[in-house]
mmCIF file of all heavy atoms in Angstrom:
data_model
loop_
_atom_site.group_PDB
_atom_site.id
_atom_site.type_symbol
_atom_site.label_atom_id
_atom_site.label_comp_id
_atom_site.label_asym_id
_atom_site.label_seq_id
_atom_site.Cartn_x
_atom_site.Cartn_y
_atom_site.Cartn_z
ATOM 1 N N ASN Y 1452 -0.329 8.417 -12.597
ATOM 2 C CA ASN Y 1452 0.977 7.852 -12.524
ATOM 3 C C ASN Y 1452 1.968 8.822 -13.040
ATOM 4 O O ASN Y 1452 1.632 9.616 -13.950
ATOM 5 C CB ASN Y 1452 1.058 6.502 -13.438
ATOM 6 C CG ASN Y 1452 0.302 5.341 -12.881
ATOM 7 O OD1 ASN Y 1452 0.083 5.261 -11.656
ATOM 8 N ND2 ASN Y 1452 -0.110 4.474 -13.764
ATOM 9 N N VAL Y 1453 3.211 8.772 -12.520
ATOM 10 C CA VAL Y 1453 4.233 9.622 -13.113
ATOM 11 C C VAL Y 1453 5.218 8.782 -13.905
ATOM 12 O O VAL Y 1453 5.792 7.785 -13.287
ATOM 13 C CB VAL Y 1453 4.978 10.361 -11.990
ATOM 14 C CG1 VAL Y 1453 6.084 11.259 -12.541
ATOM 15 C CG2 VAL Y 1453 4.073 11.106 -11.065
ATOM 16 N N ILE Y 1454 5.270 9.008 -15.135
ATOM 17 C CA ILE Y 1454 6.074 8.101 -16.036
ATOM 18 C C ILE Y 1454 7.265 8.866 -16.663
ATOM 19 O O ILE Y 1454 7.075 10.016 -17.079
ATOM 20 C CB ILE Y 1454 5.194 7.543 -17.120
ATOM 21 C CG1 ILE Y 1454 4.118 6.645 -16.435
ATOM 22 C CG2 ILE Y 1454 5.884 6.818 -18.165
ATOM 23 C CD1 ILE Y 1454 3.166 6.013 -17.399
ATOM 24 N N GLY Y 1455 8.420 8.270 -16.646
ATOM 25 C CA GLY Y 1455 9.517 8.892 -17.361
ATOM 26 C C GLY Y 1455 10.248 7.839 -18.220
ATOM 27 O O GLY Y 1455 10.467 6.696 -17.711
ATOM 28 N N VAL Y 1456 10.626 8.170 -19.416
ATOM 29 C CA VAL Y 1456 11.260 7.219 -20.333
ATOM 30 C C VAL Y 1456 12.665 7.735 -20.705
ATOM 31 O O VAL Y 1456 12.817 8.888 -21.062
ATOM 32 C CB VAL Y 1456 10.494 7.028 -21.627
ATOM 33 C CG1 VAL Y 1456 11.232 6.089 -22.584
ATOM 34 C CG2 VAL Y 1456 9.099 6.399 -21.287
ATOM 35 N N LEU Y 1457 13.669 6.839 -20.629
ATOM 36 C CA LEU Y 1457 14.958 7.111 -21.133
ATOM 37 C C LEU Y 1457 15.231 6.130 -22.206
ATOM 38 O O LEU Y 1457 15.295 4.915 -21.875
ATOM 39 C CB LEU Y 1457 15.972 6.906 -19.931
ATOM 40 C CG LEU Y 1457 17.310 7.654 -20.008
ATOM 41 C CD1 LEU Y 1457 17.152 9.173 -19.973
ATOM 42 C CD2 LEU Y 1457 18.176 7.181 -18.794
ATOM 43 N N ARG Y 1458 15.364 6.566 -23.425
ATOM 44 C CA ARG Y 1458 15.459 5.630 -24.589
ATOM 45 C C ARG Y 1458 16.829 5.024 -24.754
ATOM 46 O O ARG Y 1458 17.870 5.794 -24.681
ATOM 47 C CB ARG Y 1458 14.960 6.229 -25.870
ATOM 48 C CG ARG Y 1458 13.366 6.326 -25.874
ATOM 49 C CD ARG Y 1458 12.824 7.056 -27.094
ATOM 50 N NE ARG Y 1458 11.463 7.516 -26.696
ATOM 51 C CZ ARG Y 1458 10.328 6.720 -26.676
ATOM 52 N NH1 ARG Y 1458 10.529 5.513 -27.077
ATOM 53 N NH2 ARG Y 1458 9.251 7.218 -26.296
ATOM 54 N N GLY Y 1459 16.893 3.778 -25.026
ATOM 55 C CA GLY Y 1459 18.085 3.126 -25.395
ATOM 56 C C GLY Y 1459 17.964 2.608 -26.805
ATOM 57 O O GLY Y 1459 16.945 2.945 -27.429
ATOM 58 N N ASP Y 1460 18.899 1.938 -27.434
ATOM 59 C CA ASP Y 1460 18.582 1.521 -28.788
ATOM 60 C C ASP Y 1460 18.222 0.016 -28.924
ATOM 61 O O ASP Y 1460 18.994 -0.744 -29.493
ATOM 62 C CB ASP Y 1460 19.628 1.965 -29.786
ATOM 63 C CG ASP Y 1460 20.990 1.968 -29.232
ATOM 64 O OD1 ASP Y 1460 21.571 0.882 -28.886
ATOM 65 O OD2 ASP Y 1460 21.486 3.081 -28.984
ATOM 66 N N SER Y 1461 17.152 -0.379 -28.188
ATOM 67 C CA SER Y 1461 16.583 -1.689 -28.516
ATOM 68 C C SER Y 1461 15.136 -1.625 -28.111
ATOM 69 O O SER Y 1461 14.663 -0.563 -27.615
ATOM 70 C CB SER Y 1461 17.244 -2.754 -27.684
ATOM 71 O OG SER Y 1461 16.708 -2.841 -26.450
ATOM 72 N N ASP Y 1462 14.346 -2.643 -28.510
ATOM 73 C CA ASP Y 1462 12.849 -2.561 -28.135
ATOM 74 C C ASP Y 1462 12.614 -3.200 -26.832
ATOM 75 O O ASP Y 1462 11.466 -3.383 -26.485
ATOM 76 C CB ASP Y 1462 12.069 -3.084 -29.303
ATOM 77 C CG ASP Y 1462 12.437 -4.545 -29.580
ATOM 78 O OD1 ASP Y 1462 13.377 -5.100 -28.997
ATOM 79 O OD2 ASP Y 1462 11.825 -5.079 -30.521
ATOM 80 N N PHE Y 1463 13.706 -3.515 -26.045
ATOM 81 C CA PHE Y 1463 13.583 -4.033 -24.777
ATOM 82 C C PHE Y 1463 13.275 -2.871 -23.815
ATOM 83 O O PHE Y 1463 13.996 -1.940 -23.805
ATOM 84 C CB PHE Y 1463 14.792 -4.911 -24.351
ATOM 85 C CG PHE Y 1463 14.596 -5.503 -22.984
ATOM 86 C CD1 PHE Y 1463 14.141 -6.825 -22.877
ATOM 87 C CD2 PHE Y 1463 15.011 -4.899 -21.772
ATOM 88 C CE1 PHE Y 1463 13.981 -7.406 -21.645
ATOM 89 C CE2 PHE Y 1463 14.859 -5.469 -20.548
ATOM 90 C CZ PHE Y 1463 14.364 -6.724 -20.400
ATOM 91 N N THR Y 1464 12.260 -2.976 -22.933
ATOM 92 C CA THR Y 1464 12.035 -1.925 -21.946
ATOM 93 C C THR Y 1464 11.920 -2.511 -20.545
ATOM 94 O O THR Y 1464 11.135 -3.369 -20.262
ATOM 95 C CB THR Y 1464 10.672 -1.223 -22.317
ATOM 96 O OG1 THR Y 1464 10.810 -0.650 -23.609
ATOM 97 C CG2 THR Y 1464 10.398 -0.155 -21.311
ATOM 98 N N LEU Y 1465 12.805 -1.959 -19.679
ATOM 99 C CA LEU Y 1465 12.839 -2.377 -18.325
ATOM 100 C C LEU Y 1465 12.131 -1.295 -17.525
ATOM 101 O O LEU Y 1465 12.492 -0.099 -17.599
ATOM 102 C CB LEU Y 1465 14.241 -2.536 -17.783
ATOM 103 C CG LEU Y 1465 14.441 -2.878 -16.284
ATOM 104 C CD1 LEU Y 1465 13.671 -4.257 -15.957
ATOM 105 C CD2 LEU Y 1465 15.886 -2.918 -15.847
ATOM 106 N N ALA Y 1466 11.066 -1.586 -16.764
ATOM 107 C CA ALA Y 1466 10.360 -0.602 -15.980
ATOM 108 C C ALA Y 1466 10.846 -0.753 -14.512
ATOM 109 O O ALA Y 1466 10.908 -1.821 -13.961
ATOM 110 C CB ALA Y 1466 8.902 -0.886 -16.086
ATOM 111 N N LEU Y 1467 11.163 0.404 -13.873
ATOM 112 C CA LEU Y 1467 11.370 0.437 -12.424
ATOM 113 C C LEU Y 1467 10.177 1.146 -11.890
ATOM 114 O O LEU Y 1467 9.858 2.313 -12.275
ATOM 115 C CB LEU Y 1467 12.650 1.323 -12.106
ATOM 116 C CG LEU Y 1467 13.993 0.877 -12.707
ATOM 117 C CD1 LEU Y 1467 15.129 1.752 -12.135
ATOM 118 C CD2 LEU Y 1467 14.266 -0.564 -12.452
ATOM 119 N N THR Y 1468 9.453 0.527 -10.960
ATOM 120 C CA THR Y 1468 8.217 1.005 -10.442
ATOM 121 C C THR Y 1468 8.225 1.113 -8.923
ATOM 122 O O THR Y 1468 8.922 0.312 -8.284
ATOM 123 C CB THR Y 1468 6.987 0.239 -10.927
ATOM 124 O OG1 THR Y 1468 7.076 -1.146 -10.387
ATOM 125 C CG2 THR Y 1468 6.912 0.151 -12.468
ATOM 126 N N ALA Y 1469 7.446 2.066 -8.394
ATOM 127 C CA ALA Y 1469 7.281 2.190 -6.932
ATOM 128 C C ALA Y 1469 6.042 3.033 -6.718
ATOM 129 O O ALA Y 1469 5.784 4.022 -7.451
ATOM 130 C CB ALA Y 1469 8.428 2.863 -6.304
ATOM 131 N N HIS Y 1470 5.141 2.602 -5.830
ATOM 132 C CA HIS Y 1470 3.952 3.383 -5.633
ATOM 133 C C HIS Y 1470 4.221 4.557 -4.706
ATOM 134 O O HIS Y 1470 4.951 4.403 -3.667
ATOM 135 C CB HIS Y 1470 2.719 2.561 -5.117
ATOM 136 C CG HIS Y 1470 2.765 2.220 -3.623
ATOM 137 N ND1 HIS Y 1470 2.206 2.996 -2.659
ATOM 138 C CD2 HIS Y 1470 3.274 1.076 -2.986
ATOM 139 C CE1 HIS Y 1470 2.351 2.432 -1.514
ATOM 140 N NE2 HIS Y 1470 2.976 1.276 -1.615
ATOM 141 N N TYR Y 1471 3.690 5.725 -5.149
ATOM 142 C CA TYR Y 1471 3.989 6.966 -4.299
ATOM 143 C C TYR Y 1471 2.750 7.294 -3.417
ATOM 144 O O TYR Y 1471 2.884 8.151 -2.544
ATOM 145 C CB TYR Y 1471 4.381 8.172 -5.144
ATOM 146 C CG TYR Y 1471 3.263 8.706 -6.018
ATOM 147 C CD1 TYR Y 1471 2.512 9.791 -5.501
ATOM 148 C CD2 TYR Y 1471 2.966 8.300 -7.282
ATOM 149 C CE1 TYR Y 1471 1.482 10.356 -6.316
ATOM 150 C CE2 TYR Y 1471 2.055 8.876 -8.104
ATOM 151 C CZ TYR Y 1471 1.268 9.854 -7.554
ATOM 152 O OH TYR Y 1471 0.300 10.442 -8.406
ATOM 153 N N ASP Y 1472 1.614 6.642 -3.646
ATOM 154 C CA ASP Y 1472 0.497 6.968 -2.845
ATOM 155 C C ASP Y 1472 0.566 6.284 -1.535
ATOM 156 O O ASP Y 1472 1.221 5.340 -1.293
ATOM 157 C CB ASP Y 1472 -0.783 6.461 -3.558
ATOM 158 C CG ASP Y 1472 -0.911 4.986 -3.632
ATOM 159 O OD1 ASP Y 1472 -0.044 4.352 -4.181
ATOM 160 O OD2 ASP Y 1472 -1.838 4.421 -3.070
ATOM 161 N N HIS Y 1473 -0.180 6.883 -0.507
ATOM 162 C CA HIS Y 1473 -0.242 6.328 0.772
ATOM 163 C C HIS Y 1473 -1.713 6.489 1.264
ATOM 164 O O HIS Y 1473 -2.652 6.568 0.384
ATOM 165 C CB HIS Y 1473 0.777 6.868 1.720
ATOM 166 C CG HIS Y 1473 0.928 6.087 3.005
ATOM 167 N ND1 HIS Y 1473 1.180 4.851 3.029
ATOM 168 C CD2 HIS Y 1473 0.805 6.540 4.314
ATOM 169 C CE1 HIS Y 1473 1.223 4.361 4.310
ATOM 170 N NE2 HIS Y 1473 0.930 5.400 5.123
ATOM 171 N N LEU Y 1474 -1.953 6.642 2.505
ATOM 172 C CA LEU Y 1474 -3.336 6.619 3.139
ATOM 173 C C LEU Y 1474 -3.952 7.927 3.379
ATOM 174 O O LEU Y 1474 -5.122 8.019 3.723
ATOM 175 C CB LEU Y 1474 -3.280 5.678 4.377
ATOM 176 C CG LEU Y 1474 -2.707 4.297 4.130
ATOM 177 C CD1 LEU Y 1474 -2.305 3.669 5.389
ATOM 178 C CD2 LEU Y 1474 -3.692 3.446 3.402
ATOM 179 N N GLY Y 1475 -3.089 8.983 3.407
ATOM 180 C CA GLY Y 1475 -3.620 10.326 3.733
ATOM 181 C C GLY Y 1475 -3.679 10.579 5.199
ATOM 182 O O GLY Y 1475 -3.955 9.599 6.013
ATOM 183 N N ASP Y 1476 -3.411 11.785 5.552
ATOM 184 C CA ASP Y 1476 -3.446 12.129 7.044
ATOM 185 C C ASP Y 1476 -4.936 12.166 7.493
ATOM 186 O O ASP Y 1476 -5.826 12.464 6.754
ATOM 187 C CB ASP Y 1476 -2.886 13.516 7.198
ATOM 188 C CG ASP Y 1476 -1.386 13.667 6.914
ATOM 189 O OD1 ASP Y 1476 -0.742 12.584 6.845
ATOM 190 O OD2 ASP Y 1476 -0.869 14.741 6.787
ATOM 191 N N ASP Y 1477 -5.102 11.750 8.730
ATOM 192 C CA ASP Y 1477 -6.459 11.878 9.295
ATOM 193 C C ASP Y 1477 -6.721 13.326 9.652
ATOM 194 O O ASP Y 1477 -7.794 13.829 9.532
ATOM 195 C CB ASP Y 1477 -6.536 11.089 10.697
ATOM 196 C CG ASP Y 1477 -6.859 9.614 10.427
ATOM 197 O OD1 ASP Y 1477 -7.119 9.239 9.273
ATOM 198 O OD2 ASP Y 1477 -6.806 8.826 11.387
ATOM 199 N N SER Y 1478 -5.642 14.017 10.174
ATOM 200 C CA SER Y 1478 -5.760 15.388 10.508
ATOM 201 C C SER Y 1478 -4.330 15.952 10.631
ATOM 202 O O SER Y 1478 -3.381 15.169 10.384
ATOM 203 C CB SER Y 1478 -6.445 15.623 11.813
ATOM 204 O OG SER Y 1478 -5.651 14.926 12.880
ATOM 205 N N ASP Y 1479 -4.156 17.223 10.907
ATOM 206 C CA ASP Y 1479 -2.782 17.765 11.068
ATOM 207 C C ASP Y 1479 -2.049 17.060 12.241
ATOM 208 O O ASP Y 1479 -0.854 17.001 12.234
ATOM 209 C CB ASP Y 1479 -2.789 19.296 11.297
ATOM 210 C CG ASP Y 1479 -3.283 19.996 10.044
ATOM 211 O OD1 ASP Y 1479 -3.342 19.367 8.994
ATOM 212 O OD2 ASP Y 1479 -3.632 21.219 10.202
ATOM 213 N N ASP Y 1480 -2.768 16.552 13.184
ATOM 214 C CA ASP Y 1480 -2.224 15.958 14.347
ATOM 215 C C ASP Y 1480 -2.024 14.507 14.179
ATOM 216 O O ASP Y 1480 -1.067 13.922 14.793
ATOM 217 C CB ASP Y 1480 -3.109 16.220 15.600
ATOM 218 C CG ASP Y 1480 -3.328 17.671 15.861
ATOM 219 O OD1 ASP Y 1480 -2.296 18.417 15.706
ATOM 220 O OD2 ASP Y 1480 -4.382 18.000 16.335
ATOM 221 N N VAL Y 1481 -2.858 13.881 13.404
ATOM 222 C CA VAL Y 1481 -2.717 12.443 13.199
ATOM 223 C C VAL Y 1481 -2.268 12.186 11.786
ATOM 224 O O VAL Y 1481 -3.177 12.134 10.904
ATOM 225 C CB VAL Y 1481 -4.005 11.648 13.576
ATOM 226 C CG1 VAL Y 1481 -3.877 10.181 13.368
ATOM 227 C CG2 VAL Y 1481 -4.529 11.979 14.967
ATOM 228 N N ARG Y 1482 -0.978 12.192 11.564
ATOM 229 C CA ARG Y 1482 -0.452 12.164 10.219
ATOM 230 C C ARG Y 1482 0.033 10.756 9.857
ATOM 231 O O ARG Y 1482 0.330 9.920 10.720
ATOM 232 C CB ARG Y 1482 0.775 13.084 10.088
ATOM 233 C CG ARG Y 1482 0.471 14.514 10.416
ATOM 234 C CD ARG Y 1482 1.445 15.466 9.623
ATOM 235 N NE ARG Y 1482 1.529 15.054 8.236
ATOM 236 C CZ ARG Y 1482 2.660 14.670 7.622
ATOM 237 N NH1 ARG Y 1482 3.840 14.704 8.315
ATOM 238 N NH2 ARG Y 1482 2.644 14.244 6.332
ATOM 239 N N PHE Y 1483 -0.132 10.478 8.512
ATOM 240 C CA PHE Y 1483 0.306 9.124 7.946
ATOM 241 C C PHE Y 1483 1.431 9.399 6.964
ATOM 242 O O PHE Y 1483 1.163 9.571 5.783
ATOM 243 C CB PHE Y 1483 -0.852 8.402 7.343
ATOM 244 C CG PHE Y 1483 -1.740 7.815 8.375
ATOM 245 C CD1 PHE Y 1483 -2.678 8.523 9.011
ATOM 246 C CD2 PHE Y 1483 -1.647 6.484 8.652
ATOM 247 C CE1 PHE Y 1483 -3.476 8.051 10.022
ATOM 248 C CE2 PHE Y 1483 -2.474 5.881 9.596
ATOM 249 C CZ PHE Y 1483 -3.392 6.634 10.274
ATOM 250 N N PRO Y 1484 2.670 9.593 7.436
ATOM 251 C CA PRO Y 1484 3.791 9.949 6.511
ATOM 252 C C PRO Y 1484 4.093 8.835 5.500
ATOM 253 O O PRO Y 1484 4.608 9.122 4.454
ATOM 254 C CB PRO Y 1484 4.943 10.219 7.441
ATOM 255 C CG PRO Y 1484 4.421 10.164 8.841
ATOM 256 C CD PRO Y 1484 3.100 9.440 8.874
ATOM 257 N N GLY Y 1485 3.781 7.569 5.817
ATOM 258 C CA GLY Y 1485 4.062 6.518 4.857
ATOM 259 C C GLY Y 1485 5.535 6.494 4.424
ATOM 260 O O GLY Y 1485 5.821 6.413 3.194
ATOM 261 N N ALA Y 1486 6.436 6.565 5.389
ATOM 262 C CA ALA Y 1486 7.861 6.644 5.024
ATOM 263 C C ALA Y 1486 8.355 5.273 4.433
ATOM 264 O O ALA Y 1486 8.918 5.234 3.349
ATOM 265 C CB ALA Y 1486 8.614 6.998 6.304
ATOM 266 N N PHE Y 1487 8.170 4.179 5.184
ATOM 267 C CA PHE Y 1487 8.519 2.856 4.682
ATOM 268 C C PHE Y 1487 7.579 2.475 3.507
ATOM 269 O O PHE Y 1487 8.048 1.982 2.516
ATOM 270 C CB PHE Y 1487 8.411 1.869 5.821
ATOM 271 C CG PHE Y 1487 8.723 0.446 5.464
ATOM 272 C CD1 PHE Y 1487 10.070 0.046 5.233
ATOM 273 C CD2 PHE Y 1487 7.649 -0.455 5.357
ATOM 274 C CE1 PHE Y 1487 10.285 -1.257 4.837
ATOM 275 C CE2 PHE Y 1487 7.982 -1.754 5.001
ATOM 276 C CZ PHE Y 1487 9.244 -2.125 4.735
ATOM 277 N N ASP Y 1488 6.323 2.833 3.689
ATOM 278 C CA ASP Y 1488 5.271 2.467 2.686
ATOM 279 C C ASP Y 1488 4.739 3.657 2.004
ATOM 280 O O ASP Y 1488 3.757 4.204 2.429
ATOM 281 C CB ASP Y 1488 4.165 1.668 3.502
ATOM 282 C CG ASP Y 1488 3.030 1.298 2.616
ATOM 283 O OD1 ASP Y 1488 3.230 1.231 1.361
ATOM 284 O OD2 ASP Y 1488 1.913 0.989 3.145
ATOM 285 N N ASN Y 1489 5.241 4.188 0.918
ATOM 286 C CA ASN Y 1489 6.384 3.631 0.254
ATOM 287 C C ASN Y 1489 7.237 4.809 -0.222
ATOM 288 O O ASN Y 1489 7.761 4.782 -1.358
ATOM 289 C CB ASN Y 1489 5.924 2.804 -0.946
ATOM 290 C CG ASN Y 1489 7.048 2.214 -1.724
ATOM 291 O OD1 ASN Y 1489 8.114 1.905 -1.183
ATOM 292 N ND2 ASN Y 1489 6.862 2.075 -3.009
ATOM 293 N N ALA Y 1490 7.427 5.850 0.658
ATOM 294 C CA ALA Y 1490 8.377 6.938 0.318
ATOM 295 C C ALA Y 1490 9.754 6.255 0.080
ATOM 296 O O ALA Y 1490 10.570 6.701 -0.809
ATOM 297 C CB ALA Y 1490 8.383 7.942 1.477
ATOM 298 N N SER Y 1491 10.015 5.172 0.896
ATOM 299 C CA SER Y 1491 11.342 4.637 0.790
ATOM 300 C C SER Y 1491 11.571 4.002 -0.632
ATOM 301 O O SER Y 1491 12.692 4.239 -1.171
ATOM 302 C CB SER Y 1491 11.484 3.535 1.821
ATOM 303 O OG SER Y 1491 10.549 2.423 1.581
#
Side-chain angles (χ1 to χ4, degrees):
N1452 286 335
V1453 184
I1454 291 179
V1456 176
L1457 202 64
R1458 282 173 205 280
D1460 31 71
S1461 84
D1462 56 1
F1463 183 91
T1464 300
L1465 176 64
L1467 302 186
T1468 62
H1470 78 88
Y1471 72 90
D1472 68 300
H1473 192 55
L1474 305 161
D1476 293 346
D1477 277 354
S1478 64
D1479 291 347
D1480 299 327
V1481 183
R1482 297 208 49 235
F1483 283 79
F1487 176 74
D1488 178 19
N1489 181 31
S1491 64

